[in-house]
Amino acid sequence: MKCFVGLGNPGKKYEQTRHNIGFRVIDELAEKWNISLNQEKFKGIYGSGIVNGEKVFLIKPITYMNISGECVRPFLDYFKIPLEELVVIYDDLDLPTGRVRLRQKGSAGGHNGIKSLISHLGTEKFNRLRIGISRPQTRMPIPDYVLGPFSTEEQKEIQEAIHKAADACESFLTNTFLEVMNKYN
């Protein structure tokens, strides 16, 4: 059983923002695997299906980014999903735009969604798939930047990163996370 959680903010206003890259990967996986995200539980929208013989859950917390843990912890508990089968997908200011990086543990690095998950899960040891959004080139406040859309120039890199992230998630269905890290990092 695998669980993929994409971090983001609910609502049309946030759909194409940098902070919603996790939601966009979940949407890509849902389309690729023909899984409808039409169920709601524990402050999240989710869908499930069987992919390559593996039970898969795709989740988008609708709690807003900063309290994502309020959705994820009860969801994992209810469906009895082991922590090592979880992959959290989110944006990272410290990676170049479009770069995909996987890790098995680590600090929140200033990301409030990850801070919430660490707090609710009680550990920093969970699989992460980070997609780079770079830092603003101007003195723009970080909240304004992450809640803003990608530039036209960034769109191609971001779409490629979304495809690569989805491929990495699919690889996790038949490989260990360490093997996926070695292939995609």
Side-chain angles (χ1 to χ4, degrees):
M1 186 177 338
K2 305 286 190 218
C3 182
F4 300 94
V5 176
L7 300 187
N9 288 311
K12 201 109 177 112
K13 174 181 175 182
Y14 299 106
E15 272 181 10
Q16 297 301 313
T17 64
R18 289 177 178 88
H19 229 14
N20 269 37
I21 196 80
F23 276 15
R24 291 178 65 185
V25 173
I26 294 298
D27 290 340
E28 175 92 3
L29 289 169
E31 185 176 325
K32 185 175 188 171
W33 295 340
N34 198 28
I35 294 176
S36 296
L37 300 172
N38 60 1
Q39 298 175 71
E40 195 168 326
K41 193 179 242 10
F42 305 114
K43 303 178 190 174
I45 294 172
Y46 77 99
S48 63
I50 304 294
V51 183
N52 295 340
E54 181 89 44
K55 174 82 171 187
V56 171
F57 289 94
L58 302 176
I59 309 167
K60 296 194 308 190
I62 53 174
T63 55
Y64 288 92
M65 177 70 77
N66 295 352
I67 54 174
S68 298
E70 290 181 12
C71 166
V72 177
R73 172 85 270 172
F75 194 94
L76 295 178
D77 289 346
Y78 181 82
F79 287 104
K80 296 177 177 42
I81 300 168
L83 204 53
E84 54 274 2
E85 303 302 331
L86 169 70
V87 177
V88 179
I89 306 157
Y90 62 101
D91 60 287
D92 192 321
L93 283 164
D94 294 321
L95 288 175
T97 299
R99 176 80 51 89
V100 173
R101 279 279 177 254
L102 294 92
R103 295 178 67 184
Q104 290 183 300
K105 63 182 178 179
S107 72
H111 195 288
N112 290 330
I114 298 301
K115 282 181 191 173
S116 175
L117 282 165
I118 290 169
S119 173
H120 283 84
L121 296 175
T123 183
E124 293 182 347
K125 293 182 180 182
F126 56 89
N127 301 322
R128 302 130 188 254
L129 191 157
R130 303 174 298 145
I131 299 175
I133 61 169
S134 298
R135 289 196 170 266
Q137 299 300 310
T138 63
R139 292 182 175 255
M140 177 187 287
I142 296 297
D144 293 344
Y145 178 74
V146 298
L147 295 177
F150 289 102
S151 70
T152 304
E153 299 79 39
E154 294 171 315
Q155 287 296 338
K156 184 174 185 237
E157 290 173 288
I158 289 306
Q159 199 53 50
E160 287 172 6
I162 290 168
H163 291 314
K164 184 176 181 180
D167 288 346
C169 290
E170 187 158 21
S171 180
F172 184 47
L173 300 179
T174 54
N175 296 286
T176 67
F177 197 75
L178 184 59
E179 290 168 330
V180 178
M181 284 173 56
N182 289 335
K183 181 175 181 180
Y184 287 91
N185 274 348

